[in-house]
Amino acid sequence: WLDSILSASLSIRAGGGRLLFIYLILITAFHSTIASMDVVCSGVVLLMILAIAPVAVAAKESAVNLLEAKALLQSGWWGDSSTTATNISAHCHWSGIICNDAGSVTELLLPGYGIHDSLTNFGVSSFPNLVRLDLSGNKLYGTIPHQIGALSKLTHLTLSNNFMEGFIPSSIANLTTLVILDLSYNSFSGRIDR
């Protein structure tokens, strides 16, 4: 009976792989408690846990989405996009932005977009799920912010063909998942330390 409740709850509540994974962790964590409780009581407890878990996950994802949306709006790179931001994930429909199913930015692809700004004015650390960042062929100037090293999921970083200068920050060595790093056709000096 309990197995059928679990299956039904998982089928109904799991909107994506991430939630299913969380439910499986919850089931494993509470298995010993459930085994010692009355079957009816344990089913009620489990349903209460399953009802609360998505709220906690959604709240965390919403906080990340708000932080990302705020950083994108403050950059001004999309003009007056604030008039089109009617909900939390509106930024996922802006040019050059790709989001995951939870509405978090995973790719910023703006090659040749005409951005005339310093990358230090853009809140790069506001994008914890960023995998690809391509700002090549713009008019970016200044230095690479040291916060770039906080983008632990970044696999592609392309800043080529801009007017950037200065030292390459040592924090770039923290990008352990980086597959492509293209900083060509800028005026950087120094070396990348390990």
Side-chain angles (χ1 to χ4, degrees):
W1 183 78
L2 183 58
D3 288 336
S4 63
I5 289 176
L6 290 175
S7 297
S9 297
L10 288 174
S11 298
I12 292 168
R13 304 294 285 162
R18 183 186 329 240
L19 291 179
L20 179 59
F21 179 72
I22 291 169
Y23 293 135
L24 292 176
I25 290 173
L26 285 171
I27 290 167
T28 303
F30 292 99
H31 181 267
S32 60
T33 304
I34 292 171
S36 64
M37 297 173 71
D38 181 68
V39 172
V40 173
C41 181
S42 64
V44 170
V45 169
L46 183 61
L47 288 176
M48 288 171 39
I49 292 168
L50 291 175
I52 294 169
V55 173
V57 171
K60 181 180 177 189
E61 289 173 349
S62 293
V64 168
N65 294 354
L66 284 172
L67 184 65
E68 291 174 344
K70 181 179 177 185
L72 293 169
L73 286 170
Q74 287 179 341
S75 75
W77 293 357
W78 286 266
D80 188 18
S81 298
S82 61
T83 57
T84 62
T86 56
N87 63 45
I88 260 181
S89 62
H91 62 276
C92 293
H93 302 288
W94 297 351
S95 179
I97 297 176
I98 298 173
C99 296
N100 61 18
D101 290 340
S104 182
V105 177
T106 57
E107 299 184 35
L108 282 173
L109 308 174
L110 300 169
Y113 201 68
I115 300 167
H116 186 76
D117 198 2
S118 171
L119 195 54
T120 56
N121 293 333
F122 186 68
V124 294
S125 60
S126 300
F127 302 93
N129 297 309
L130 196 62
V131 175
R132 293 181 60 156
L133 178 59
D134 184 349
L135 299 174
S136 61
N138 284 287
K139 297 175 183 173
L140 292 174
Y141 55 87
T143 61
I144 298 174
H146 72 275
Q147 294 90 343
I148 199 109
L151 301 176
S152 62
K153 297 179 182 178
L154 200 63
T155 61
H156 294 74
L157 175 58
T158 308
L159 300 174
S160 61
N161 294 299
N162 281 291
F163 302 101
M164 300 183 77
E165 59 188 7
F167 291 99
I168 298 169
S170 59
S171 64
I172 213 160
N174 297 337
L175 303 176
T176 58
T177 59
L178 206 58
V179 175
I180 294 177
L181 174 63
D182 187 352
L183 305 177
S184 62
Y185 298 101
N186 284 288
S187 297
F188 293 117
S189 57
R191 61 186 186 130
I192 302 174
D193 294 325
R194 288 185 181 202

